[in-house]
Amino acid sequence: MTGHTTTVNANGVTLGVESFGDDDAPLVLLAGGTTMLSWPDALCERLAAGGRRVVRYDLRDSGASTTLDPEAPAYTLRDLAVDAAALTDALGGRPAHLAGIGVGGMVAQVAALDHPDAFSALTLVGTRAVAPGPPDDDLPDHDQATMSRLFGHPMPDWSDREAVADFAAAGAEILGDDPVAAHAVAARIWDRTPGTAPAVQMANQLGMVFARLDCAPRWRERLPEIKVPTLVVHGRRDRFFPVGNAEAIAREIPGARLLVLEEAASAIPDTAVDAVAEAMLTLG
């Protein structure tokens, strides 16, 4: 099964999307973290085979979505949440099952809180409930030894596709993810990035744009307001957002289910696709 790639206008911006499955099936909307390729092809295909219309999309300043100035974004986290609700409407899929991974998981949390009528279910993968900067005192921060290695790795020549893919592979190895898979995905992201300007390539590869976003006000204290069925998925070996962040989200959203992937780090490995898909399909 292959996806159909296009763009959709929503909330005054253009969003790059890729669709899988029957257009008349219930919509599962996958917010990228930051590009749509944060979501594995195999998971999209498995969800579509399970009778869902799957649409993964690029956040602003990445992929085929509106790109202006990733170094100084003129929008907030809440604008990205509006994008998700508006995209659901533009696709005719309300209410949709909304899923977010990494920073997309933060977008998804705020979207579910601010636009509850737009969504029927929520899946949060490899994320946390505070951003940006240090977490709350009761939440585990990034593994500092891992971060030192990660940020000690020199930046690549962003105009060099192979150098960027090698950089991503090295970072994945440090984080405990599959370097071969990361190399392949980074090359695909590079191919989809609009131009080779360093700031744009960095935003596509690393999501650096998110660190510059206005994420106020806080939303963690509002998590008990989420009433839709919720699945929280996290890798046991995640060194970037340690699993305690997911445990907190699952405690604070009423009735949420926590699925810990024992052999995973920050990415969804192919070996976990069936378990994640089954849990998402059961959710709605």
Side-chain angles (χ1 to χ4, degrees), residues 15-268:
L15 298 174
V17 306
E18 186 174 19
S19 302
F20 301 76
D22 187 341
D23 285 349
D24 295 326
L27 175 64
V28 178
L29 185 65
L30 307 178
T34 52
T35 84
M36 64 171 69
L37 294 182
S38 305
W39 292 101
D41 299 350
L43 179 63
C44 297
E45 293 163 357
R46 174 71 175 78
L47 291 171
R52 301 297 187 271
R53 176 190 184 191
V54 181
V55 177
R56 59 181 177 182
Y57 75 99
D58 303 309
L59 300 187
R60 300 190 198 188
D61 284 327
S62 71
S65 294
T66 294
T67 295
L68 296 175
D69 183 3
E71 294 188 301
Y75 52 89
T76 69
L77 174 62
R78 276 165 175 76
D79 291 321
L80 297 180
V82 176
D83 290 351
L87 181 57
T88 298
D89 286 343
L91 294 168
R94 178 185 288 241
H97 179 162
L98 176 63
I101 187 168
V103 298
M106 299 172 187
V107 174
Q109 290 171 69
V110 175
L113 287 165
D114 287 0
H115 309 277
D117 294 339
F119 306 110
S120 58
L122 184 65
T123 294
L124 305 170
V125 181
T127 192
R128 70 182 186 187
V130 293
D136 295 341
D137 290 343
D138 65 324
L139 299 177
D141 202 352
H142 310 302
D143 178 78
Q144 292 308 307
T146 299
M147 293 302 101
S148 294
R149 290 183 62 203
L150 196 63
F151 289 103
H153 193 60
M155 291 286 185
D157 173 358
W158 294 107
S159 67
D160 184 334
R161 181 180 188 270
E162 189 63 21
V164 170
D166 287 345
F167 174 81
E173 191 163 23
I174 292 169
L175 288 170
D177 292 319
D178 180 352
V180 176
H183 187 283
V185 169
R188 291 174 65 191
I189 291 173
W190 194 97
D191 290 340
R192 297 183 66 246
T193 298
T196 56
V200 176
Q201 278 286 352
M202 186 180 294
N204 275 256
Q205 295 287 344
L206 302 180
M208 294 296 286
V209 61
F210 196 83
R212 301 176 185 273
L213 276 190
D214 176 2
C215 296
R218 288 169 54 91
W219 73 89
R220 182 183 179 190
E221 290 76 14
R222 295 179 58 204
L223 290 180
E225 299 174 21
I226 294 176
K227 304 305 182 187
V228 297
T230 300
L231 173 68
V232 182
V233 180
H234 214 94
R236 176 74 70 189
R237 301 180 179 182
D238 193 336
R239 302 167 192 166
F240 192 79
F241 290 146
V243 69
N245 290 282
E247 293 167 346
I249 292 173
R251 284 195 306 269
E252 292 164 25
I253 296 177
R257 175 190 173 188
L258 176 63
L259 173 61
V260 176
L261 308 177
E262 295 295 338
E263 302 302 318
S266 59
I268 301 174

